[in-house]
């Protein structure tokens, strides 16, 4: 074999191992050609995202917003974060899409077409807050493994669909039902059909809430593919991992669901506080349910410069998982004193709320504006990083922007 041909065959073999499949006609592939699988895609075009978004990972795709991009009261697709665990499904045919209900606690297995779900059950629309459990992970020290989210893995879009509770009533569930678990069409990174990238769920009390939807529209349009087209679960106020995308099966369980990323340390925090860096046994980790109170200054962008004597108008959003934000404050002296500012009521339960303030500064110089929300149970955001945990979840420290007065 000529050395040149040997090198070409070796290269094809290497590429095939990376792709995870044989390059069938690799022997006739033009020399120097780079297969599409190795050409860098443009995620901003692929997913219709603003170029100001930040790509954290491309295998799988994980993309977040910056604070100032989340200024809209209802988050548009172009600013909505993407959190994937596997590969986005391909060649979806919504006309043939089905959703099956099974499990130990279902009275009888039942399958619906997407068309049946849309026509048989009443439709509802809610604004619902979705936040990745790891939003803010980048601030933890010692560092926690995983995508190093800063503050942009949160959104509040308008979702339209049918209530999961209505479908469960039609299916019929046994008295011993305690949990649901979802299954979906996304593909494991290994492309092994026997592995699920993620299969999480929620207790029946969450599944039966008024706002827990089987959604097929986002902001009055079909859900974009990257966000779960043609059907996804929406369970606002809880880690966004509970809101499974591309769902095609829901299991009604007589125990806590034990699917992929439901066991071990996934989406769990220590049941009791631990020291930074401390190892925690799996049995001492508790599943994250309602997300903690949090807020975000979306205007102005950090680094704002204003003239002496002028006031700075700020605005942003606040949310509190299953609860409501009842008080909003800001500080310009690193948390020594706090001033109240108006906070709007949510559009509906589990929607984020909007605040604004007009701030005066005593003299020229550098300042930081800190924002702090308090929930209906009287719990406020910590000024700095909250308790450390092994996976870097639930960072709800006060958001801060830098301001210079000249």
């Amino acid at each position: 074999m000529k050395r040149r041909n040997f090198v070409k065959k070796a290269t094809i073999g290497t590429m095939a191992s990376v792709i995870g499949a044989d390059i069938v006609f690799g022997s006739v592939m033009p020399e120097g050609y780079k297969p599409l699988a190795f050409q860098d895609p443009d995620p901003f075009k692929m997913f219709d995202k603003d170029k100001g978004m930040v790509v954290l990972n491309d295998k799988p795709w994980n993309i977040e917003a910056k604070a100032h991009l989340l200024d809209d009261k209802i988050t548009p697709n172009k600013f909505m974060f993407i959190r994937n665990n596997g590969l986005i499904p391909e060649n979806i045919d919504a006309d043939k899409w089905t959703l099956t209900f099974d499990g130990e606690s279902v009275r009888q297995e039942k399958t619906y077409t997407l068309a049946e779900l849309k026509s048989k059950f009443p439709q509802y629309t809610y604004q619902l807050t979705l936040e990745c459990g790891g939003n803010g992970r980048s601030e933890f020290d010692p560092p926690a493994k995983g995508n190093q989210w800063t503050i942009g893995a949160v959104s509040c879009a308008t979702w339209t669909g049918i209530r999961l509770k209505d479908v469960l009533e039609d299916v019929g569930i046994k008295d011993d039902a305690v949990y649901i678990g979802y299954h979906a069409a996304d593909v494991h990174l290994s492309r092994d059909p026997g592995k699920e990238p993620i299969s999480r769920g929620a207790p029946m009390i969450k599944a039966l809430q008024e706002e827990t939807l089987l959604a097929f529209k986002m902001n009055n349009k079909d859900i974009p593919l990257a966000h779960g087209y043609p059907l996804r679960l929406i369970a606002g106020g809880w880690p966004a991992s509970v809101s499974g995308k591309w769902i095609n099966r829901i299991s009604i369980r007589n125990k806590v669901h034990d699917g992929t990323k439901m066991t071990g340390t996934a989406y769990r925090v220590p049941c009791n506080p631990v020291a930074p860096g401390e190892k925690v046994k799996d049995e001492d980790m508790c599943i994250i349910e309602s997300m903690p109170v949090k807020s975000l200054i979306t205007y102005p962008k950090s680094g704002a410069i204003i003239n002496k004597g002028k006031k700075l108008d700020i605005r942003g959003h606040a949310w509190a998982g299953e609860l409501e934000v009842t008080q909003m404050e800001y500080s310009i002296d690193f948390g020594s004193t706090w001033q109240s500012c108006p906070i709007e009521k949510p559009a509906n339960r589990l929607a984020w709320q909007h605040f604004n303030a007009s701030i005066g500064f005593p003299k020229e110089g550098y300042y930081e504006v800190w924002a702090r929300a308090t929930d209906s149970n009287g719990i406020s955001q910590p000024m700095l990083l909250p308790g450390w945990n092994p996976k870097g979840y639930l960072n709800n420290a006060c958001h801060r922007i830098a301001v210079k007065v000249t």
Side-chain angles (χ1 to χ4, degrees), residues 355-368:
F355 66 87
N356 65 84
S358 186
I359 304 174
F361 299 90
K363 62 180 184 178
E364 296 177 359
Y366 172 86
Y367 296 87
E368 290 185 7

Side-chain angles (χ1 to χ4, degrees), residues 40-51 61 63 77:
D40 294 332
D42 184 343
F44 308 107
K45 289 183 179 179
M46 286 172 55
F47 306 129
D48 191 25
K49 299 297 179 185
D50 185 271
K51 288 187 178 294
W61 288 107
I63 303 173
N77 173 53

Side-chain angles (χ1 to χ4, degrees), residues 291-339:
M291 294 291 284
V293 62
K294 198 167 181 178
S295 60
L296 189 66
I297 301 170
T298 58
Y299 180 86
K301 185 177 179 179
S302 186
I305 299 175
I306 63 169
N307 293 327
K308 181 182 177 182
K310 298 287 186 180
K311 287 196 172 185
L312 177 71
D313 292 329
I314 67 165
R315 59 178 177 260
H317 316 298
W319 59 97
E322 289 278 349
L323 304 176
E324 188 173 315
V325 175
T326 55
Q327 184 177 15
M328 194 69 215
E329 301 166 288
Y330 69 86
S331 174
I332 63 171
D333 55 11
F334 301 100
S336 295
T337 60
W338 293 89
Q339 306 298 320

Side-chain angles (χ1 to χ4, degrees), residues 123-143:
Q123 297 184 15
Y124 298 84
T125 298
Y126 300 108
Q127 292 177 32
L128 297 169
T129 307
L130 297 183
E131 182 182 14
C132 177
N135 197 23
R137 177 180 288 131
S138 62
E139 294 187 14
F140 280 94
D141 188 24

Side-chain angles (χ1 to χ4, degrees), residues 107-183:
R107 294 199 178 278
Q108 60 176 356
E109 184 174 315
K110 195 164 185 176
T111 298
Y112 300 87
T113 65
L114 183 58
E116 287 173 333
L117 291 173
K118 290 180 178 180
S119 63
K120 184 170 184 177
F121 301 98
Q123 297 184 15
Y124 298 84
T125 298
Y126 300 108
Q127 292 177 32
L128 297 169
T129 307
L130 297 183
E131 182 182 14
C132 177
N135 197 23
R137 177 180 288 131
S138 62
E139 294 187 14
F140 280 94
D141 188 24
K145 291 183 179 180
N147 291 298
Q148 296 301 299
W149 304 104
T150 59
I151 43 74
V154 64
S155 67
C156 187
T158 294
W159 298 94
T160 299
I162 58 177
R163 296 187 304 196
L164 177 58
K165 64 179 290 186
D166 293 340
V167 186
L168 291 175
E169 182 179 346
D170 188 69
V171 170
I173 56 177
K174 298 178 182 178
D175 292 339
D176 65 352
V178 297
Y179 234 85
I180 64 161
Y182 66 73
H183 308 272

Side-chain angles (χ1 to χ4, degrees), residues 195-207:
K195 294 182 178 180
E196 290 184 291
I198 187 169
S199 175
R200 287 183 53 75
M204 294 307 300
I205 191 171
K206 183 64 176 176

